[in-house]
Amino acid sequence: MLIFNIVNVKELIEKLEEEFDEVESGSIKPETEFTDIENWGSMHALIIIALIDMEYDVTLTGQDLKGMKTVMDLFGIIKDRT
Amino acid sequence: MADFSVSGLQIAGIGCSIPKQEISNYDYDLLEENEKKLLVKTIGVETRRVASKGTTTTDLAIDAAEKLFVETKWDKESVDLIVVVTQSRDYYLPSVGPIVQDKLGLSTKCMAFDVGLGCSGYVYGLSIVASMLKGANWKRAILLAGDVSTISCSYNDKSTYPLFGDAGSATFIENTESGNNWIFNLNSDGSGEDAIKITHGCLRNLPNEESFVEKERAPGVTRADLHLALDGLEVFNFSITTIPKSIKQFLENYKLEQDNIDAFVMHQANLLMNETIRKKLKFTPDQTLYSIKKYGNTSSASIPLTICNNEGQIDKGDNMLLSGFGVGLSWGNAYIELDEKPITMISDFD
């Protein structure tokens, strides 16, 4: 029913790049590890939580965040829950 | 369901007293330059007021109340009730309620007591005052709310130190014959007690030598058990999921039109969190008031301080939606119709 059920990884990457304004467009790939993103820190985790909640209505737990390494891992979690 | 509504109450004034000492998060040397910028942009706290050693919450709140007595011209003998909402009392015992009654020179015939809540405390405090004024048909009440939180945060804990500011507030409330409405919704979930906690210092974990020893809990998070511990992710998730649902339900239950809300005032803990709540509920930026940039998280004083900080946006006949949420976990929503524009003031405490 909900349009945002149709998630694709490209769209997710665009949204992430938009949120992290210190990141250059096109620099995030599905295999990018979050910790490799420039100046990565705990505040980015909050930004991701807020983004995924707003855009996909998916709540990420602390456990999810600890478990996910790459953008593709995040995509997998969203896909599983939408 | 802990909901209720009353008619015929007015806020005569809201006063806030804040320590004169201002600290900028740009001067916090445990953060890298880019972290500082991201903190100000995301969490939203740029500066904070920090109480000097020995200054207590009641010093600030009494100062705010004294100034409000001058402005409102209230006769001190006319106050029947004083409620002090704080988690940073002067002593283990006695409660500060009676101390404040005496220091303010109020009648010994007035009822005075403490309420040990933080983020939700202002809404809870208003609900207690409202129900008691109406239930007992008393004339006037004073609600004091605030905390000196900075004393509980370790300088070596990046997850708490840059977030908190100190403030005390006083709100003067009177019973009137008006037909205006105040509606309350109060909630609790103690299963989240660990999300924001000082574990040592009371009966469960009596203070001992170990309580003072700072230990590294995670990179950048070094603190003692007498310091405040904050599970930021837990609190963030609770706030952006439970709170919008709770407010939406509250508005629906009482058929409150969002367009008729002139001021939406949330507890000020985190800008990204509050903006997420605002966007989920579709409140406009114009309706939503802030003070976090200047003052940080001031616990139960955050809602009154935010109202005073935006006093130009509050007027006679306005409707306010207040929402306090956090430590406990505890949260509450209040819909307040103002007959008159309350006197508002923020003053520096030296």
Side-chain angles (χ1 to χ4, degrees), chain B residues 3 6 19 31 43 90 121 154 161-162 187 222 226 274 276 289 308:
Chain B
D3 281 23
V6 290
L31 295 177
I43 315 286
D90 291 20
S154 165
Y161 182 81
N187 310 274
T222 297
L226 275 171
N274 285 18
T276 306
L289 310 189
C308 293

Side-chain angles (χ1 to χ4, degrees), chain A residues 21 39 43-44 49 53 60, chain B residues 34 38-39 41 237 280:
Chain A
D21 46 31
N39 302 323
M43 277 172 279
H44 289 89
I49 292 179
D53 181 88
L60 296 175
Chain B
N34 55 57
L38 194 59
L39 172 88
K41 186 178 162 245
N237 265 336
K280 284 178 102 167

Side-chain angles (χ1 to χ4, degrees), chain B residues 104-122:
Chain B
L104 280 173
L106 304 180
S107 164
T108 54
K109 287 179 182 149
C110 112
M111 180 178 187
F113 63 93
D114 298 1
V115 174
L117 290 168
C119 318
S120 64
Y122 189 71

Side-chain angles (χ1 to χ4, degrees), chain B residues 235-272:
Chain B
V235 178
F236 195 86
N237 265 336
F238 155 72
S239 304
I240 66 167
T241 53
T242 305
I243 301 309
K245 278 186 203 147
S246 160
I247 294 173
K248 195 163 180 278
Q249 193 67 55
F250 179 62
L251 295 172
E252 278 174 16
N253 286 352
Y254 298 97
K255 300 186 171 51
L256 302 170
E257 297 284 339
Q258 271 184 244
D259 291 349
N260 291 337
I261 305 285
D262 302 287
F264 175 36
V265 193
M266 284 175 275
H267 168 58
Q268 307 279 299
N270 181 319
L271 179 66
L272 176 65

Side-chain angles (χ1 to χ4, degrees), chain B residues 17 29 41 67 74 89 115 147 206 269 343:
Chain B
S17 181
D29 55 20
K41 186 178 162 245
K67 290 188 167 104
W74 269 24
R89 305 198 317 196
V115 174
D147 272 309
L206 288 169
I343 291 168

